[in-house]
Amino acid sequence: MSEIATNIAVKLIRRESVTPDDGGCQNYIERMLAPLGFVRTSVDAGGVTNSIYTRMGELPGTLAFAGHTDVVPTGPVEKWQFDPFSGEIVDGILHGRGAQDMKSAVACWIAAVGKLCGEYTPIPTIQLLITSDEEGESVDGTIRIIERMQADGTLPDACIVGEPSCSEMVGDTIRRGRRGVVQIKATFHGKQGHSAYPQDADNAIHHAAPALAKIATIDWGTPAAGFPATSCQITNVNGGTGATNVIPGFCEALIDIRYNPANNFDGIKCTIEACCEACDVTLEFDHSAIAFSTADGPFLDLVSDSIRRVTGIETLRDTGGGTSDGRFLAAAGVPVAELGTTNSTIHQVGEQVAVSELATLTAIYTDIIENFEV
Ligand SMILES: [Zn+2]
């Protein structure tokens, strides 16, 4: 089976699809899946190609795979040993942009479904939720797919996200949640004036400094189990005209908060507002990613069991890394586990993956599909 997954991965890599361009990948996937009984629903929006491929199952329940066909830019092409869009295989290593993130995982899932269909093995309803905007803005990508499924009443019972979750070998790590992100722009207002005439001015930095000191020392409470603590970082402070003798009329600060699920956006907003209570301040909040955590239970156990059966590895249920589209599915109430290849070269010049990983990942996906129950 690894050959089939590898061939598909090569063909996907050869389709240049720098975000949000799909490069024809999703049409190619449709042509492959149609003979297996999949029907494609296009949910294109804002120049982004989104597809829901569905195959009605012989068994109850719906298991989804979520992934993306877009890749990040190559960087300087002359620094690549192999053409980033050639899908060259040398000494068991597949080279190219998307080899780890995440065309190989898409290929492995297709190979796994194809294998089971070819064997007439009864399986649940399978969905592939594929977007060409995961690496970019993620505004018209997976969100639109989920809106469509919510409207149609076709949300899956569980979802594997094919992001490259593993560190040393396939199966060593799954991601069962991610921290959320809140970004804040705080503008403290005062009145500019001459430093020798403070009675005619109002120093914005003097207002900002104590408020920022409070923000820097907020106690965010006990973190949710399995998650790093909430991190609140003041990343920029800017005020004043550059002149020593001018009292600043404003001071601007940028704050970046990575919160674990023990905190939430409303609570964070109230806490920050309380720290600035005494100030004339404008606070702009951007809740760019919601925190999520899939609880221990049958779905995560199935994924761990499949990994153990195929590789013998006890997998780590991790919550590290940045954000992923898993957050949108989790927000819709779908249990999510992220499982893909290793991630040692993602977004780097010379992205590559061992072909042997594709064989292992295909076998794990096959086992998950075969043993999925609702
Ligand atoms: Zn990715």
Side-chain angles (χ1 to χ4, degrees), residues 279-367:
C279 308
D280 179 7
V281 65
T282 307
L283 293 169
E284 294 163 68
F285 291 87
D286 180 17
H287 186 197
S288 56
I290 192 168
F292 74 93
S293 176
T294 298
D296 286 329
F299 182 55
L300 291 185
D301 289 346
L302 164 65
V303 177
S304 300
D305 290 347
S306 292
I307 290 170
R308 193 183 310 106
R309 276 193 287 270
V310 172
T311 66
I313 296 173
E314 278 311 321
T315 196
L316 174 73
R317 296 177 183 183
D318 187 49
T319 59
T323 61
S324 86
D325 278 3
R327 68 186 190 268
F328 302 126
L329 286 140
V334 178
V336 169
E338 299 185 16
L339 168 63
T341 63
T342 56
N343 53 29
S344 51
T345 60
I346 54 173
H347 297 203
Q348 294 180 17
V349 164
E351 183 174 350
Q352 55 182 260
V353 70
V355 169
S356 61
E357 289 195 24
L358 277 66
T360 308
L361 189 59
T362 303
I364 296 170
Y365 284 166
T366 306
D367 194 276

Side-chain angles (χ1 to χ4, degrees), residues 68 101-102 134-135 163-164 347:
H68 59 89
D101 189 7
M102 56 169 280
E134 196 275 339
E135 300 289 5
E163 289 295 342
H347 297 203

Side-chain angles (χ1 to χ4, degrees), residues 165-185:
S165 58
C166 301
S167 39
E168 302 290 321
M169 54 178 71
V170 173
D172 62 10
T173 312
I174 62 172
R175 297 205 198 287
R176 54 95 65 89
R178 304 257 187 164
R179 285 190 293 183
V181 182
V182 178
Q183 289 168 328
I184 304 156
K185 181 177 170 187

